[in-house]
């Protein structure tokens, strides 16, 4: 069955072409747009279609389509919503994931669109099959039960004492006051989330003009508000224990069934293990997982077959009286992570062998071949943003090399010279919005030994503990460093070999040739970076195959020095190689070699000519961030994704992970148990191993551990951040109750952070100028001399007092990220002196920097 745009309902025209939410209500079996001001307002007698369009960083759109069915809607309207959903998906290119939402059993993804909750109202639009009158009445006292730690399911229950229990949270909405009753066995996080519902009821049904009261289960009647609450129920009486629910939170053995839909008939497929090969592209299947029913539609199926599969899933659930199962429909090639996780293994999605007319994409071409008009399915161009570090690079840096179980402090001259066989610890303090911020990290060379990696992590963890977890901790591997690392070090050299005792012992025990860099030997360096404050010289194998047309190189053999310029390099690359010469081989002449015009001596040093690549080495790109709550249960890490997250989702009692593919951030709340806090790095590493988004995360992906109240800007950029909230004390419930009753407490009147443009040194500046002239003759050596004028200029700069010294803090710190909303505070941070003292203490032997109580904790082995 082919459908053109003229056959598609006009209400769907142009849908899904921009980021946002669109809602339609089914009226007389036609979709009618719902005004934005009414989004989240649902009637029990109606059916709705909801389209969520998300613009992704890669330039494409993600589409999620939901059809919501009120408990009083007619079967015909529900069927219309299901069929129209399939047609809308086809018009969008068949890429959307479709969800069936039943009132009272909505998915968390759906509820996340309408925070803090949805509260369906009785009534609905008149239809020929089931007319439900809408009745406007005076305020009626209502009792609601609230469930959910991350999104809240709100359900109205009878206004009687028997509805209450010790396990749940209840909201009693009276004309003059809203009561929240917290069952004695309810969790803090659910209590906090329920307060958001109280705020919603107050604003929506009381115009913000009513009192709010919290009632604790078990409190005596002496409390005025408690007495008021129980009086509405006719007086206090003991509550019964809640009957055991069929959903007791334990994992149940679910028998997964795979059903093929063949010419309208359902045929169950027997299998020993659920493999991707069981799904054929010209058929539709039902994957019955108990709580979810997946409808998988092969890419070669017709629109009619897809509609038939949708009807079959609906009928199966109705016949089995399964009112709580979700129906999720997917097209081949655009399966969700949850669907893929049901299979023993899911291979990479193969490219669809289709012609793409007008550049509209492969799926669009397939649907067009079936007669569909796919106008508007052009993939938008990805936004190319310059990678920004979101960190002030004028701070104070200290570096230690790890030798066995101890760390050795490096002088300013050596702290930017790393060896690939060693492990390093660095501490960087810099000016934050209203206090000194600190980053403590470990760097593992590619050839470092495991015993020193473990030692480095342990030593760094003790430093973080000594700072009372106010420092951010980072775990980094060579070749996977984030931009924050590079701008902190500014000019970094990575040499072959190692100087640590662990590396020396390892190569001696295994009879491995020691190739540690020697200034008098032969060495080849690849030069990379984006400016004078982000440049690196990486020693590579001294072979022609190590060259790359997109980079510049330095080659030396004792005092013989060459620079090699690839044909695809820029003036910025040429400037960087000049700057690195001043570090690697200062005051020595060098010969410039351009690609294709090299001398025989140059090739001889590299062992002869050889093929080499010409493409830049691509680093991991940052993807759209995903937030997960993390729980350690029975030694296992269990995660749950939080959709469309905000800062309010970060509960102080929990641990969360932000996965943006290029980096992993582990956020730890203030109220988290001390034992769990010490396991934060293990949680990050286990998260990477499990790869919950099935995105092939590298085991060496950078991990940042962030403690509540000490969030750096390269973390808060994922949110519309309000620092005042992160500096509050108490449980998540106590904090939200304080906000609800009297607003945020005064906290230096600090405005919300925003994301300013990065204008630091070396970023966003014209880098085309070079400090030295460059010889173009491959035969004539060029001595990097300096003219008298240049020497005078250099002398003037050297005599100034504000030049950054990596080993000592500058006299006046210039912030690269000024506080939003006003000028910088000149006020000295109250924690500055403490941090300075702590910093200086790190230069002393480790035993003097760790409190005895911390030592005791660290001597305990913790496992997840």
């Amino acid at each position: 069955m082919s459908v053109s745009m003229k056959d598609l309902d006009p209400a769907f025209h142009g849908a899904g072409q921009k980021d946002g939410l669109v809602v339609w209500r089914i009226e007389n079996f036609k979709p009618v747009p719902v005004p934005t001001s009414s989004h989240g307002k649902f009637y029990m007698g109606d059916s709705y279609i909801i389209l969520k369009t998300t613009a992704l960083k890669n330039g494409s759109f993600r589409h999620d389509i939901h059809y919501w069915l009120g408990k009083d809607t007619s079967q015909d309207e529900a069927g219309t919503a299901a069929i129209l959903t399939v047609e809308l998906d086809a018009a969008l290119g068949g890429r959307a994931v479709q969800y069936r939402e039943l009132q009272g059993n909505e998915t968390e993804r759906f509820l996340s669109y309408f925070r803090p909750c949805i509260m369906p109202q009785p009534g609905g639009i008149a239809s020929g099959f089931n007319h439900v009158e809408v009745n406007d009445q005076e305020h009626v006292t209502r009792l609601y039960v609230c469930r959910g730690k991350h999104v809240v399911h709100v359900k109205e229950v009878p206004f009687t004492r028997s509805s209450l229990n010790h396990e749940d949270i209840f909201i009693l909405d009276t004309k003059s006051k809203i009561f929240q009753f917290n069952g004695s066995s309810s969790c803090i996080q659910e209590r906090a989330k329920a307060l958001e519902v109280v705020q919603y009821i107050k604003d929506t049904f009381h115009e913000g003009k009513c009192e709010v009261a919290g009632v604790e289960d078990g409190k005596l009647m002496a409390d005025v508000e408690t007495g008021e609450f129980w009086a509405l129920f006719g007086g206090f009486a003991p509550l019964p224990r809640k009957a055991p629910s069929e959903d007791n939170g334990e994992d149940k053995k679910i028998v997964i069934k795979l059903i093929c839909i063949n010419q309208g008939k359902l045929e169950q497929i027997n299998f020993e293990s659920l493999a991707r090969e069981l799904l054929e592209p010209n058929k539709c299947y039902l994957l019955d997982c108990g709580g979810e029913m997946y409808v998988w539609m092969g890419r070669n199926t017709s629109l009619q077959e897809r509609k038939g599969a949708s009807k079959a899933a609906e009928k199966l659930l109705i016949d089995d009286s399964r009112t709580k199962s979700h129906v999720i429909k997917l097209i081949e090639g655009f399966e969700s992570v949850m669907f893929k996780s049901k299979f023993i293994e899911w291979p990479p999605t193969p490219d669809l062998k289709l012609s793409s007319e007008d550049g509209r994409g492969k799926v669009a071409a397939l649907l067009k071949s079936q007669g569909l008009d796919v106008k508007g399915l052009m993939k938008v161009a990805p936004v190319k943003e310059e990678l920004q570090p979101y960190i002030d690079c004028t701070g104070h840096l200290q570096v230690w090399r790890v030798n066995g179980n101890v760390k050795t402090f490096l002088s300013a001259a050596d702290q930017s010279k790393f060896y690939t066989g060693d492990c390093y610890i660095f501490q960087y303090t810099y000016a934050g919005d209203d206090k000194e911020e600190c980053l403590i990290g470990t760097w593992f060379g590619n050839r470092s030994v495991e015993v020193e990696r473990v030692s480095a992590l342990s030593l760094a963890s003790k430093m973080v503990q000594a700072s009372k977890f106010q420092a951010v901790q980072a775990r980094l591997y060579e070749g996977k460093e984030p931009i924050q690392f590079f701008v902190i070090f500014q000019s970094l050299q990575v040499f072959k070999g190692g100087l640590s005792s662990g590396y020396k012992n390892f190569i001696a025990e295994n009879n491995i040739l020691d190739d540690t860099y020697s200034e008098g030997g032969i060495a080849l360096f690849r030069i990379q970076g984006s400016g004078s404050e982000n440049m690196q010289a990486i020693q590579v194998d001294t072979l022609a195959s190590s060259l790359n047309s997109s980079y510049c190189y330095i080659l030396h053999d004792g005092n013989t020095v060459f620079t090699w310029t690839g044909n695809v390099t820029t003036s910025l690359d040429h400037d960087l190689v000049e700057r690195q010469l001043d570090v690697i081989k200062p005051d020595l002449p060098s010969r410039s070699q351009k690609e294709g015009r090299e001398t025989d001596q140059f090739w001889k040093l590299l062992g002869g000519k050889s093929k080499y690549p010409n493409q830049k080495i691509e680093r991991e790109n940052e993807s759209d961030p995903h937030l997960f709550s993390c729980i350690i249960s029975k030694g296992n890490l269990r995660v749950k994704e939080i959709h469309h997250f905000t800062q309010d989702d970060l509960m102080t009692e929990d641990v969360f992970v932000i996965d943006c593919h290029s980096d992993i951030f582990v956020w730890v709340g203030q109220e988290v148990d001390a034992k769990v806090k010490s396991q934060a790095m293990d949680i990050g590493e286990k998260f990477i191993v499990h790869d919950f988004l099935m995105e092939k995360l590298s085991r060496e992906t950078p991990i940042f551990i962030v403690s509540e109240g000490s969030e750096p800007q390269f973390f808060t950029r994922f949110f519309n951040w309000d620092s005042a909230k992160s500096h509050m004390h108490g449980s998540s419930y106590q904090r939200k109750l304080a906000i609800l009753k009297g607003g945020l407490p005064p906290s230096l009147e600090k405005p919300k952070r925003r994301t300013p443009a990065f204008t630091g040194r070396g970023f966003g500046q014209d880098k085309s100028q070079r400090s030295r002239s460059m010889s173009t003759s491959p035969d004539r050596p060029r001595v990097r001399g300096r003219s008298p004028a240049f020497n005078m200029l250099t002398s003037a700069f050297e005599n100034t007092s504000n030049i950054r010294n990596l080993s000592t803090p500058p006299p006046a710190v210039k912030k690269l990220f000024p506080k939003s909303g006003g000028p910088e505070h000149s006020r000295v941070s109250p924690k500055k002196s403490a941090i300075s003292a702590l910093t200086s203490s790190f230069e002393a032997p480790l035993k003097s920097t760790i409190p005895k109580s911390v030592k005791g904790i660290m001597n305990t082995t913790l496992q997840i």
Side-chain angles (χ1 to χ4, degrees):
M1 175 181 178
S2 62
V3 178
S4 64
M5 290 298 284
K6 67 180 181 180
D7 298 317
L8 187 70
D9 195 288
F12 290 151
H13 288 184
Q17 300 310 306
K18 63 179 181 178
D19 191 275
L21 195 70
V22 184
V23 181
W24 297 269
R25 179 163 65 173
I26 305 302
E27 299 182 9
N28 297 320
F29 312 110
K30 294 289 185 181
V32 176
V34 175
T36 304
S37 59
S38 296
H39 286 183
K41 186 176 183 180
F42 295 91
Y43 289 94
M44 301 178 185
D46 290 333
S47 298
Y48 296 80
I49 295 175
I50 298 90
L51 170 63
K52 173 62 177 177
T53 302
T54 306
L56 304 178
K57 286 191 174 184
N58 62 9
S60 65
F61 288 121
R62 170 191 169 91
H63 296 117
D64 293 287
I65 305 175
H66 306 253
Y67 58 104
W68 183 89
L69 309 177
K71 69 180 185 65
D72 297 326
T73 192
S74 70
Q75 191 61 45
D76 300 86
E77 283 187 348
T80 299
I83 296 303
L84 286 174
T85 297
V86 177
E87 293 183 2
L88 175 59
D89 174 49
L92 293 172
R95 298 167 292 175
V97 179
Q98 305 167 49
Y99 304 83
R100 172 181 179 260
E101 308 284 355
L102 293 181
Q103 179 184 337
N105 193 45
E106 295 86 359
T107 62
E108 293 200 357
R109 180 184 293 275
F110 175 82
L111 291 176
S112 70
Y113 306 149
F114 307 105
R115 291 172 182 263
C117 65
I118 63 171
M119 301 181 70
Q121 301 300 303
I125 196 68
S127 75
F129 289 87
N130 186 14
H131 181 81
V132 181
E133 295 290 346
V134 178
N135 298 315
D136 293 326
Q137 301 176 349
E138 290 292 325
H139 185 87
V140 177
T141 298
R142 301 181 187 276
L143 182 65
Y144 303 94
V145 62
C146 300
R147 299 187 179 102
K149 288 176 59 176
H150 307 297
V151 294
V152 187
H153 289 82
V154 180
K155 179 183 178 182
E156 185 175 356
V157 294
F159 175 31
T160 63
R161 184 190 293 108
S162 60
S163 296
L164 303 175
N165 60 60
H166 298 292
E167 287 74 26
D168 293 319
I169 295 99
F170 295 84
I171 295 174
L172 180 62
D173 178 19
T174 70
K175 187 174 183 178
S176 60
K177 184 177 287 190
I178 303 173
F179 298 87
Q180 176 169 316
F181 175 81
N182 301 316
S184 58
S185 299
S186 61
C187 71
I188 291 291
Q189 296 92 325
E190 285 191 321
R191 296 181 187 186
K193 277 296 174 184
L195 281 175
E196 296 179 9
V197 178
V198 172
Q199 182 73 66
Y200 172 79
I201 293 174
K202 178 180 178 181
D203 295 339
T204 305
F205 301 109
H206 297 267
E207 299 180 345
K209 301 174 182 178
C210 72
E211 296 182 40
V212 173
V215 178
E216 297 299 323
D217 183 13
K219 263 198 174 182
L220 298 178
M221 295 287 289
D223 182 273
V224 175
E225 291 179 335
T226 301
E228 235 183 294
F229 173 80
W230 286 114
L232 293 169
F233 289 90
F236 175 79
L239 298 179
R241 285 289 171 185
K242 184 179 178 182
S245 170
E246 59 182 26
D247 180 15
N248 56 12
E250 296 181 359
D251 295 332
K252 296 180 180 180
K253 181 69 174 179
I254 298 176
V255 178
I256 297 179
K257 299 177 183 178
L258 182 63
I259 302 170
C260 177
I261 304 174
N262 190 4
Q263 296 180 351
K265 296 181 179 180
L266 304 184
E267 301 176 356
Q268 185 166 337
I269 298 177
N270 298 319
F271 57 86
E272 291 185 2
S273 58
L274 189 60
R276 167 64 180 85
E277 292 72 20
L278 294 172
L279 305 178
E280 300 180 18
N282 60 341
K283 293 181 180 179
C284 294
Y285 295 84
L286 303 181
L287 185 65
D288 188 353
C289 302
E292 301 89 24
M293 173 77 75
Y294 292 94
V295 182
W296 185 88
M297 299 167 281
R299 65 174 180 266
N300 295 335
T301 56
S302 67
L303 183 60
Q304 191 64 32
E305 289 174 314
R306 296 177 188 182
K307 288 182 178 180
S310 180
K311 289 181 179 178
E314 296 276 353
K315 185 176 185 302
L316 183 60
L317 293 181
I318 292 173
D319 291 345
D320 292 347
S321 299
R322 290 162 57 182
T323 57
K324 291 189 176 182
S325 293
H326 295 124
V327 176
I328 304 169
K329 295 175 251 185
L330 318 101
I331 186 71
E332 180 182 4
F334 298 94
E335 298 87 354
S336 66
V337 173
M338 287 302 297
F339 178 81
K340 294 177 182 178
S341 67
K342 306 297 181 183
F343 293 76
I344 56 171
E345 185 178 2
W346 192 273
T349 303
D351 291 333
L352 305 179
K353 305 300 182 181
L354 303 166
S355 62
S356 180
E357 297 185 30
D358 303 322
R360 301 189 186 280
K362 298 174 182 179
V363 174
L366 170 63
L367 294 171
K368 192 166 186 176
S369 69
Q370 296 184 0
L372 287 168
D373 186 343
V374 290
K375 182 180 179 181
L377 292 182
M378 176 79 76
K379 177 179 177 179
V380 298
V383 178
K384 293 184 178 180
E385 298 178 350
E386 182 181 357
L387 194 60
Q388 297 184 6
Y390 297 95
I391 193 171
D392 187 334
C393 65
T394 62
H396 173 42
L397 177 67
Q398 292 177 290
V399 183
W400 296 262
R401 180 186 296 114
V402 175
N403 285 294
N405 294 321
V406 299
K407 62 186 192 325
T408 302
F409 182 73
L410 300 182
S411 66
D414 293 330
Q415 64 183 10
S416 291
K417 298 178 180 179
F418 283 18
Y419 288 81
T420 191
D422 294 338
C423 296
Y424 296 83
I425 298 173
F426 62 91
Q427 176 185 288
Y428 182 67
T429 54
Y430 59 99
D433 273 356
D434 58 357
K435 63 183 178 66
E436 287 283 340
E437 296 190 7
C438 181
L439 173 63
I440 296 174
T442 53
W443 183 91
F444 301 152
N446 287 337
R447 296 179 61 189
S448 59
V449 296
E450 183 63 24
V451 64
E452 289 190 336
R453 293 182 180 185
V454 173
S455 178
L457 274 179
S458 176
L459 292 169
S461 296
K462 292 176 182 178
M463 293 169 66
V464 173
Q465 287 186 3
S467 73
K468 297 183 179 179
F469 296 97
Q470 293 185 24
V472 175
Q473 184 176 357
R475 187 221 63 181
L476 312 176
Y477 281 87
E478 178 185 353
K480 294 286 186 178
E481 303 92 342
I483 189 173
Q484 291 84 8
F485 176 82
F486 288 138
V487 299
I488 286 172
F489 281 85
Q490 301 187 3
S491 175
L492 180 71
Q493 297 79 45
V494 180
F495 301 105
K496 281 181 171 290
L499 304 178
S500 70
S501 57
Y503 177 77
K504 295 295 185 183
N505 292 337
F506 176 79
I507 61 174
E509 292 171 0
N510 293 274
N511 295 320
I512 298 175
L513 179 66
D514 188 356
D515 61 351
T516 300
Y517 172 75
S518 170
E519 291 185 3
I522 183 170
L524 178 66
F525 294 88
R526 182 182 71 245
I527 311 302
Q528 62 189 37
S530 62
S532 60
E533 293 192 352
N534 176 8
M535 55 181 178
Q536 303 88 44
I538 312 297
Q539 187 179 358
V540 295
D541 292 337
T542 314
L543 299 170
S545 58
S546 297
L547 299 175
N548 187 313
S549 301
S550 295
Y551 294 93
C552 293
Y553 289 78
I554 295 174
L555 173 66
H556 74 70
D557 183 11
N559 291 335
T560 301
V561 183
F562 291 95
T563 62
W564 185 85
T565 305
N567 287 336
V568 196
T569 56
T570 65
S571 58
L572 169 62
D573 298 314
H574 307 160
D575 180 56
L576 296 184
V577 75
E578 290 290 302
R579 292 175 182 272
Q580 288 299 317
L581 274 171
D582 285 339
V583 178
I584 297 173
K585 285 293 179 179
D587 303 324
L588 282 179
S590 68
R591 291 191 175 188
S592 174
Q593 307 281 296
K594 285 194 172 182
E595 183 176 4
R597 299 171 57 186
E598 300 88 351
T599 62
D600 290 339
Q601 184 183 6
F602 175 83
W603 289 121
K604 184 178 180 180
L605 289 176
L606 294 180
K609 294 182 179 181
S610 177
K611 290 184 178 180
Y612 51 82
N614 59 10
Q615 297 292 324
K616 280 260 187 187
I617 300 173
E618 294 293 334
R619 305 186 72 84
E620 294 287 356
N621 292 323
E622 182 175 284
S623 65
D624 297 274
H626 295 259
L627 179 69
F628 297 85
S629 67
C630 300
I631 298 176
I632 302 172
S633 177
K634 298 179 180 179
N636 296 318
L637 178 64
R638 301 177 65 177
V639 304
K640 188 172 188 177
E641 184 171 5
I642 314 300
H643 303 288
H644 306 99
F645 59 86
T646 67
Q647 181 184 355
D648 288 336
D649 288 311
L650 300 176
M651 295 286 191
T652 186
E653 297 83 10
D654 292 333
V655 176
F656 293 85
V657 167
I658 288 183
D659 178 3
C660 58
H661 187 69
S662 59
D663 304 288
I664 297 295
F665 296 86
V666 181
W667 182 90
V668 184
Q670 291 180 0
E671 300 296 317
V672 170
D673 181 76
K675 180 179 179 181
V676 177
K677 283 184 179 180
S678 65
Q679 295 173 330
M681 186 62 71
D682 290 334
I683 290 174
E685 291 179 342
K686 284 183 176 292
F687 185 93
I688 290 175
V689 170
H690 283 83
D691 193 13
F692 293 99
L693 290 176
M694 302 178 72
E695 55 184 344
K696 298 186 182 301
L697 277 176
S698 168
R699 296 290 182 91
E700 299 176 353
T701 301
I703 298 176
F704 293 92
I705 309 300
V706 179
S707 296
E708 182 181 12
S710 300
E711 296 89 349
Q713 192 168 8
F714 55 84
F715 174 83
T716 61
R717 65 191 176 94
F718 297 114
F719 304 84
N720 182 18
W721 194 259
D722 185 351
S723 297
K725 290 183 178 179
S726 67
H727 291 144
M728 294 182 72
H729 297 288
S731 69
S732 53
Y733 172 73
Q734 291 169 332
R735 298 181 190 186
K736 293 201 174 185
L737 185 60
I739 295 173
L740 181 60
K741 284 194 168 186
L744 277 173
S747 58
L748 306 178
E749 298 181 354
K750 192 170 164 316
K752 293 183 180 180
R753 285 184 181 175
R754 58 184 174 87
T755 305
F758 185 83
T759 57
R761 298 172 297 164
F763 287 83
Q765 301 176 2
D766 182 7
K767 306 179 183 71
S768 60
Q769 296 183 354
R770 296 191 297 272
S771 59
R772 309 172 184 88
S773 61
M774 185 178 252
S775 172
T776 58
S777 170
D779 298 319
R780 190 182 72 185
R782 181 186 59 76
V783 178
R784 298 197 310 286
R786 295 170 176 171
S787 66
F790 187 86
N791 288 332
M792 289 179 63
L793 180 63
T794 303
S795 175
F797 275 107
E798 289 174 349
N799 291 332
T800 59
S801 61
N802 61 350
I803 290 181
R804 178 178 185 262
N805 187 323
L806 293 181
S807 65
T808 57
V813 177
K814 179 181 177 182
K815 294 179 63 179
L816 299 183
F817 287 102
K819 184 176 175 181
S820 60
E824 298 178 17
H825 288 274
S826 59
R827 170 175 47 80
V828 177
S829 167
K831 299 177 182 176
K832 184 174 183 179
S833 59
I835 292 180
S836 298
L838 179 63
T839 298
S840 61
S841 70
F842 286 148
E843 298 184 20
L846 181 63
K847 62 181 181 180
S848 64
T849 68
I850 307 171
K852 293 181 179 180
S853 59
V854 175
K855 288 183 179 179
I857 294 175
M858 292 306 301
N859 289 333
T860 304
T861 302
L862 302 175
Q863 296 181 348
I864 295 183

